[in-house]
Amino acid sequence: MAPNARLDHRNPLVFDTHELGRRPGALQRLTREIDAPKDLGIQGVIGVPEGAPVELELRLESVMEGVLVTGTARAQAKGECVRCLEPLELALEADFQEMFSYPDADDRGRAKAEPADDAEEDEDRLFIEDGLFDLEPVLRDAVVLALPMQPVCQDDCLGLCSECGARLTDDPDHHHDAVDIRWAALQGLAGSLEDGEKDEMSGADAEAGVDEKQEK
């Protein structure tokens, strides 16, 4: 990503590298707890809720062309089981490593690329601006890679009954008697006939009662 708008040092995901002083080999270790930004995770599947605490451990190493950032993010992710749709929560630990380049670095020791290739490469690079770098894009990528694409509440979750939606893990013996669809219409017809017969019998009983009263 090429340099663009000026970074805000008040942003908790913006870090200052001035202490390293552009001295190759200089190291700095940082820990910071931040509030999770919006949409941190796999949207609609699982992620870290906005505002939830995220613990960051960082190692900043100064090199010739920039600052190599190695770190780990820890948080609690929340989502929904893809099998039974029950809410779930899991401990997230996302590791990452990224080079943040100085805008004036010439990547010493690397052959100059063609202008078009160099411009395309800059699209994927992250830069230090006025001694600051923004960790948010790196954090987002790391969290997505660390989260499961198909989260489940437990490895052996049985999911839901396809007929009534009951959670099968709560009742492993749950089942429905299978009905051959070829007989389903006949069963419905038989039920209608039975209801008709009952109505006829009720009508006959009523007539018999009237006749008995008339005879008396």
Side-chain angles (χ1 to χ4, degrees), residues 6 16 28 32 56 67-68 97-98 100-101 105 125 127 156 159 167 177 179 197 205 207:
R6 185 176 296 274
D16 193 332
Q28 184 179 8
R32 182 178 294 182
L56 298 174
V67 175
L68 180 64
Q97 185 174 71
E98 187 68 44
F100 288 85
S101 302
R125 295 173 66 187
F127 289 88
D156 58 350
R167 189 168 183 263
D177 294 331
V179 177
E197 290 175 356
D205 291 342
E207 290 178 3

Side-chain angles (χ1 to χ4, degrees), residues 5 39 46 48 52 63 70 93 95 100 102 108 111 118 123 130 133 137 150 153 157 179 185 190 192 210:
D39 298 329
I46 189 170
V48 181
V63 294
T70 305
E93 184 168 308
D95 297 322
F100 288 85
Y102 295 122
R108 298 179 187 182
D118 194 47
E123 289 291 327
D130 297 328
F133 68 86
Q150 299 286 320
C153 57
C157 176
V179 177
S192 299
V210 170

Side-chain angles (χ1 to χ4, degrees), residues 154-203:
Q154 56 190 62
D155 292 339
D156 58 350
C157 176
L158 299 176
L160 301 176
C161 173
S162 60
E163 295 191 36
C164 68
R167 189 168 183 263
L168 298 179
T169 303
D170 296 334
D171 183 11
D173 297 325
H174 177 87
H175 71 281
H176 295 270
D177 294 331
V179 177
D180 192 323
I181 59 173
R182 293 172 297 180
W183 296 102
L186 292 177
Q187 288 180 344
L189 179 59
S192 299
L193 291 174
E194 289 177 1
D195 292 340
E197 290 175 356
K198 289 179 181 179
D199 292 340
E200 290 179 3
M201 291 177 64
S202 298

Side-chain angles (χ1 to χ4, degrees), residues 6-28:
R6 185 176 296 274
L7 297 179
D8 185 353
H9 69 278
R10 295 169 296 181
N11 184 330
L13 283 169
V14 170
F15 291 82
D16 193 332
T17 67
H18 285 100
E19 195 170 311
L20 295 174
R22 294 189 72 160
R23 301 185 304 274
L27 293 174
Q28 184 179 8

